[in-house]
Amino acid sequence: MARRRKVRPVPAGGATISPAPFIGLCLLAAAFFLYAASVVLAPWWVVLIGLALWAALVVTSVRWWEPSPGRLPWLGVTAVVLWAVLMIGGGIAFHWHGLWRR
């Protein structure tokens, strides 16, 4: 019978893998559903603007994956906050616009 040797799981290159980029990408995926479901709350063109902003955040997250993975969770939080600002700000703008038209 051959002796077994103990093997430690070590990532390639010996560096530890940070969970930060995965957390950020999960937050961006969750934010996509917020942006896509906004069609119930907002006009179609506001939803398109929101989805374009979300796509820009995803492209930024892919570009930041390797050089600065610690920023990606903040990018995911930014996507959710940006959605809230877009929906609340748009609602306030439409409300004030309706009041001025009377």
Side-chain angles (χ1 to χ4, degrees):
M1 229 193 220
R3 276 182 59 178
R4 290 184 161 183
R5 63 184 184 127
K6 294 181 181 179
V7 178
R8 292 183 311 175
V10 177
T16 58
I17 298 174
S18 171
F22 299 103
I23 293 170
L25 204 58
C26 287
L27 285 171
L28 281 170
F32 171 75
F33 291 104
L34 291 174
Y35 283 98
S38 305
V39 75
V40 178
L41 302 173
W44 63 271
W45 54 273
V46 174
V47 175
L48 283 180
I49 292 171
L51 286 172
L53 289 172
W54 176 84
L57 290 171
V58 169
V59 168
T60 304
S61 73
V62 170
R63 292 184 67 191
W64 285 355
W65 187 276
E66 190 67 29
S68 53
R71 292 183 185 176
L72 267 63
W74 293 110
L75 202 62
V77 170
T78 301
V80 174
V81 169
L82 188 63
W83 173 82
V85 167
L86 190 66
M87 291 299 116
I88 294 170
I92 291 171
F94 283 132
H95 176 72
W96 281 104
H97 180 70
L99 287 179
W100 287 108
R101 291 186 98 189
R102 288 185 190 176

